[in-house]
Amino acid sequence: QVQLVESGGGLVQAGGSLRLSCAASGSIFSINAMVWYRQAPGKQRELVASITRGGITNYADSVKGRFTISRDNAKNTVYLQMNSLKPEDTAVYYCNADALIAGSFRYDDYWGQGTQVTVSS
């Protein structure tokens, strides 16, 4: 199995910055896409940003120009640099990885436990 651990969440002022990290561990053979999702209270979980192993990125319209996703394949870690934060960015941020574990024949999705990001106005 794959374990994902998010870190870097916290309380910040509007306009501030925060960097989230998600480290994957386990019997990992390969990780394709790594994705950040977020879920605000009373809202549906939404995709924030994704990145393939080769570095192809996609962003939700609401975060384009403010957030940057990146990854370190050697460390099996994905990052989300969050700049110009707004109160509406407040949510629990979840890391997701499309990974192939050693001995498996298919990719599966794995989720982290989430990290809280709170942006005050």
Side-chain angles (χ1 to χ4, degrees):
Q1 291 291 322
V2 175
Q3 295 80 47
L4 301 176
V5 179
E6 301 99 332
S7 62
L11 174 64
V12 297
Q13 300 259 323
S17 297
L18 206 60
R19 178 183 280 108
L20 305 183
S21 299
C22 173
S25 62
S27 301
I28 301 169
F29 182 81
S30 181
I31 300 176
N32 186 10
M34 300 189 80
V35 187
W36 286 100
Y37 289 82
R38 68 185 181 187
Q39 188 166 24
K43 301 290 186 178
Q44 296 290 316
R45 185 171 297 187
E46 64 174 342
L47 189 150
V48 178
S50 66
I51 184 169
T52 69
R53 183 173 181 86
I56 301 171
T57 60
N58 284 286
Y59 298 91
D61 289 340
S62 59
V63 306
K64 286 180 180 177
R66 299 189 298 119
F67 292 8
T68 302
I69 188 171
S70 61
R71 64 190 288 172
D72 185 335
N73 291 336
K75 296 180 179 179
N76 285 330
T77 300
V78 63
Y79 306 92
L80 186 67
Q81 178 65 46
M82 309 164 68
N83 297 327
S84 302
L85 283 162
K86 305 174 180 179
E88 50 262 46
D89 295 318
T90 296
V92 177
Y93 284 70
Y94 296 92
C95 177
N96 173 274
D98 182 26
L100 180 69
I101 65 172
S104 179
F105 58 90
R106 69 178 184 180
Y107 282 82
D108 287 304
D109 282 336
Y110 298 89
W111 291 88
Q113 81 288 347
T115 185
Q116 177 71 47
V117 172
T118 303
V119 184
S120 61
S121 60

